[in-house]
Amino acid sequence: VSALVALQSCQCLAWKPHSVVAWGAESQHVVAGYSDGTIRVFSISRTEMELKMHPHAVALTAIAYSTDGEMILSGGKDGLVAVSSPRTGMTIHVLAEHKGSPITVLQCTRKQYRDFGVEGAELWLATSSDRRVSVWASDWLKDKCELVDWLSFPAPAGPEGLRSLPPSLAAFCPWEPGTLVYVGFGMQKEALFYSLRKKQVVEKISLPYFATSLSLSPAACFMAVGFGERLLRLLRCPSSEAQDYAGHDDTVHLCHFAPSGHRLLTASHSAVLLWELTAS
């Protein structure tokens, strides 16, 4: 790590999607977003930085690869979303729809051609801290990026004495194509399932507290939700059967399923836990 990187704070990172190369090996790259608005791509196998870009004027708050690994989506504290090419080092799009509110989530997923009446091979979403979610269809080779849906979730006035509101989080549902799940500060403590086809919330799951982290298993119908009350809840969908787990020392600010769906990583202030999911 260079001295320059050492002087900056890494705010977010994402693994490049696995692509099979010679001899069946998997390319291993990670992209990281920093407090000075820069993006750096690192090679894990060579333990070196391969590319540096500067698409933002403020600190990054979210970052993701496109599903084919050919583009990098990054979101900043000012709400701007940039789409950059790691091949050329150029930023090809800057989207200002969320301007004024920090981006909390960026996620990409594959889609069937002409799903939702728009062209493109990829669907992606951006979520900002003001409880707004935008959904886009993109064809990066044709330089197309089209808004599919725009969601805004209501909330009461912030509670007195609360230092910060719970984050706004959204994720595509792997077992229900065309559906996304949203959690955040709102009128009720709940997870909302929103259908992009029906343009409405189709299911609500009650939660004990406002969520601070969210992850959906890519391999089974499980949803993990973390809370500020040192609690992790594992939900089996669609039955909403819940199991709660303690063990964290503070807010569960991160939960993330492995690609296999068999393991779950969670993190709090000074504890990182790895959970094994059994078939039962």
Side-chain angles (χ1 to χ4, degrees), residues 159-180:
E160 291 283 339
L162 196 65
R163 286 184 299 174
S164 61
L165 294 177
S168 301
L169 305 172
F172 290 111
C173 184
W175 58 86
E176 287 289 346
T179 301
L180 62 83

Side-chain angles (χ1 to χ4, degrees), residues 172-177 181 193 215-223 235 237-238:
F172 290 111
C173 184
W175 58 86
E176 287 289 346
V181 179
F193 286 70
S215 184
L216 279 67
S217 170
C221 300
F222 282 103
M223 179 169 67
L235 288 150
C237 300

Side-chain angles (χ1 to χ4, degrees), residues 66-68 71 73 81 83 92-93 95 107-116 118-125 135-148 172:
S66 60
T67 54
D68 60 5
M71 292 293 167
L73 286 73
V81 175
V83 182
I92 61 173
H93 288 292
L95 305 171
Q107 187 193 9
C108 302
T109 187
R110 295 191 186 279
K111 65 181 283 289
Q112 296 298 315
Y113 189 67
R114 295 192 185 281
D115 271 4
F116 316 108
V118 293
E119 294 187 12
E122 182 161 282
L123 206 63
W124 62 275
L125 63 78
V135 182
W136 306 78
S138 296
D139 188 331
W140 306 120
L141 294 177
K142 296 180 179 179
D143 197 28
K144 289 186 177 180
C145 190
E146 185 174 349
L147 185 66
V148 173
F172 290 111

Side-chain angles (χ1 to χ4, degrees), residues 255-269:
C255 52
H256 189 78
F257 279 101
S260 68
H262 299 311
R263 290 184 175 180
L264 174 68
L265 185 75
T266 62
S268 56
H269 175 68

Side-chain angles (χ1 to χ4, degrees), residues 22-272:
W23 308 106
E26 292 177 340
S27 64
Q28 295 195 6
H29 289 84
V30 65
V31 62
Y34 287 82
S35 55
D36 62 350
T38 59
I39 291 173
R40 293 172 171 89
V41 177
F42 296 93
S43 168
I44 301 302
S45 57
R46 293 201 295 271
T47 63
E48 65 182 21
M49 185 178 75
E50 291 188 347
L51 177 68
K52 177 184 174 183
M53 298 179 283
H54 202 157
H56 296 273
V58 298
L60 272 80
T61 52
I63 200 161
Y65 271 100
S66 60
T67 54
D68 60 5
E70 293 299 313
M71 292 293 167
I72 294 172
L73 286 73
S74 55
K77 193 175 180 180
D78 57 2
L80 297 183
V81 175
V83 182
S84 308
S85 168
R87 288 185 180 272
T88 65
M90 301 293 290
T91 297
I92 61 173
H93 288 292
V94 176
L95 305 171
E97 278 73 7
H98 291 270
K99 186 175 182 180
S101 185
I103 301 298
T104 52
V105 178
L106 290 168
Q107 187 193 9
C108 302
T109 187
R110 295 191 186 279
K111 65 181 283 289
Q112 296 298 315
Y113 189 67
R114 295 192 185 281
D115 271 4
F116 316 108
V118 293
E119 294 187 12
E122 182 161 282
L123 206 63
W124 62 275
L125 63 78
T127 308
S128 50
S129 60
D130 57 359
R131 302 175 302 281
R132 294 184 296 170
V133 182
S134 61
V135 182
W136 306 78
S138 296
D139 188 331
W140 306 120
L141 294 177
K142 296 180 179 179
D143 197 28
K144 289 186 177 180
C145 190
E146 185 174 349
L147 185 66
V148 173
D149 211 337
W150 180 263
L151 314 178
S152 184
F153 295 93
E160 291 283 339
L162 196 65
R163 286 184 299 174
S164 61
L165 294 177
S168 301
L169 305 172
F172 290 111
C173 184
W175 58 86
E176 287 289 346
T179 301
L180 62 83
V181 179
Y182 171 85
V183 295
F185 181 65
M187 308 306 290
Q188 303 291 335
K189 301 177 181 71
E190 57 192 1
L192 303 176
F193 286 70
Y194 178 89
S195 170
L196 293 168
R197 292 187 177 88
K198 297 181 179 179
K199 303 287 186 181
Q200 66 183 38
V201 174
V202 293
E203 184 182 358
K204 298 179 180 180
I205 296 179
S206 295
L207 300 174
Y209 313 102
F210 287 116
T212 52
S213 54
L214 172 73
S215 184
L216 279 67
S217 170
C221 300
F222 282 103
M223 179 169 67
V225 186
F227 303 101
E229 288 71 18
R230 308 181 183 186
L231 186 72
L232 172 71
R233 171 164 287 191
L234 190 65
L235 288 150
R236 186 192 297 269
C237 300
S239 66
S240 302
E241 176 186 343
Q243 182 68 51
D244 290 336
Y245 300 92
H248 284 279
D249 60 347
D250 206 333
T251 298
V252 185
H253 62 76
L254 173 72
C255 52
H256 189 78
F257 279 101
S260 68
H262 299 311
R263 290 184 175 180
L264 174 68
L265 185 75
T266 62
S268 56
H269 175 68
S270 61
V272 176

